[in-house]
Amino acid sequence: MSSSFTHLLFDTRIGSQKPESIRNRDTKCPFCDRTQLDEILAERGPILLVKNKYPVLRDSFQTVLIETDECESELSIYKKEHLHKLIRFGVDKWLEMDRSGQYASVLFFKNHGPYSGGTIRHPHMQIVGLKHIDYRKQLDSSQFEGLVIDRRPGVEFNLSTKPRVGFFEFNVILSQLDRLDQMADYIQTAAHYALTDFHKNCNSYNLFFYQFEGQIVAKVVPRFITSPLFIGFAIPQVATRGEEVVAEIRSKYYCDKNLPAAT
C-alpha cells in the first residue's frame, strides 16, 4: 500500500512493554546492567551500540547508542573528550549504516526529557534504518537558515528563522567532516542553553541529524507541549525574541560576538 511509504507502523504491543524511567524514576534502568543488554554491535569505551530490545517500528532496523555508563549524566555536561568521542562514534555508525545500501534512509536522533517523546532516562541516542521512507524528501534548505550565533571554518551555529515545527530550533551545519569536534561543541552549547538559561520550564529537547546537500546538519529543539496550530494545520510559528536569544548565547558562550544574520 502507498501508506507504507509515508507512514511508519508503530507496534503498540511491543511499545506497551517498554520501561518508563523518565517519568517513573523507580523503574529499573535497562541500560545500567550491561550484562543484560541485547546484542552489542560496536563499542568504544563506555559508549555502546546495541540492537533495540523494543523494535516498535515496522520495516526498520533499530539500534540504540548508549552514550555513557553514568545514568544521571547528560550530553549538555559531558567533558569535551567524551563529547567528541561520542559524536564521532555516532556519526560514523550512522553514515556506515546509510552506506550499506539496505535502507531508503537512516535516522539519527536523541530524545531527552519528559516532553521529548523518550521513555528511558539513561543518556542514549537512536540510529534507525528505514526500509521504505526517505526522510530527506521532507527537507528544505530554508529549515536550516537562521540568525548566526557563531561560525568557525567548516561549521555554522544558528537559530532558525523558518523552523520546521516552530518557535526555537538551533541548527549546526557542518560542511567539512574534519570539523566534527566543533560541531559537537555547538550541539552541546545548544543543549546546555536549552536546559539552563532558555526557559525556567524547559527540561526536554530533541537532537536530530540530517544529511542534506552534501552537508551534515544537526538540529537541537527545546521541547514543550506542541502548538495546536502545528498539530492541526501544520503552521509553524516564529518567536519574536530570536535576536534576544542569539545575543544571550553569544554573551554567555562566545564573548558577545557580533556576527551578521545568515543570508
Side-chain angles (χ1 to χ4, degrees), residues 2-191:
S2 60
S3 60
S4 299
F5 300 95
T6 58
H7 292 67
L8 285 171
L9 286 177
F10 183 96
D11 192 320
T12 53
R13 179 186 59 82
I14 296 175
S16 66
Q17 300 171 21
K18 295 176 66 176
E20 171 61 86
S21 64
I22 288 182
R23 298 182 184 275
N24 182 5
R25 300 310 296 273
D26 293 329
T27 300
K28 182 179 179 181
C29 176
F31 297 156
C32 282
D33 185 357
R34 298 195 162 201
T35 64
Q36 299 300 311
L37 292 172
D38 281 4
E39 183 177 345
I40 296 176
L41 303 173
E43 59 185 300
R44 187 169 299 170
I47 305 168
L48 301 179
L49 183 68
V50 301
K51 282 188 177 181
N52 195 320
K53 187 176 181 179
Y54 303 96
V56 295
L57 302 176
R58 298 277 182 87
D59 295 322
S60 69
F61 178 64
Q62 297 176 243
T63 68
V64 176
L65 196 167
I66 301 173
E67 301 173 23
T68 173
D69 53 11
E70 298 180 26
C71 193
E72 297 300 319
S73 191
E74 208 287 305
L75 184 146
S76 65
I77 59 172
Y78 291 157
K79 293 181 178 179
K80 292 299 183 184
E81 181 181 1
H82 183 75
L83 172 72
H84 296 165
K85 185 185 298 184
L86 170 67
I87 298 300
R88 285 190 228 116
F89 180 83
V91 168
D92 179 61
K93 295 305 173 185
W94 172 48
L95 296 179
E96 181 181 294
M97 190 181 294
D98 184 69
R99 288 194 299 266
S100 73
Q102 298 180 55
Y103 309 102
S105 65
V106 181
L107 309 180
F108 182 23
F109 63 98
K110 173 181 174 64
N111 307 321
H112 173 78
Y115 294 106
S116 68
T119 57
I120 296 175
R121 169 62 181 83
H122 194 120
H124 67 286
M125 303 182 190
Q126 297 183 57
I127 303 176
V128 180
L130 303 179
K131 293 184 179 180
H132 303 304
I133 296 178
D134 186 349
Y135 74 84
R136 291 163 292 204
K137 293 181 179 180
Q138 306 299 323
L139 301 181
D140 184 89
S141 60
S142 65
Q143 298 163 353
F144 306 125
E145 297 170 355
L147 302 173
V148 177
I149 299 169
D150 197 49
R151 185 191 289 128
R152 307 287 170 89
V155 59
E156 177 181 297
F157 179 26
N158 71 45
L159 175 66
S160 283
T161 47
K162 294 182 180 179
R164 285 175 58 88
V165 176
F167 296 99
F168 296 94
E169 298 178 5
F170 299 99
N171 303 309
V172 183
I173 304 167
L174 181 74
S175 56
Q176 297 176 208
L177 197 57
D178 62 355
R179 302 295 294 170
L180 198 55
D181 288 353
Q182 181 62 60
M183 176 183 228
D185 290 345
Y186 283 148
I187 290 169
Q188 185 176 59
T189 295

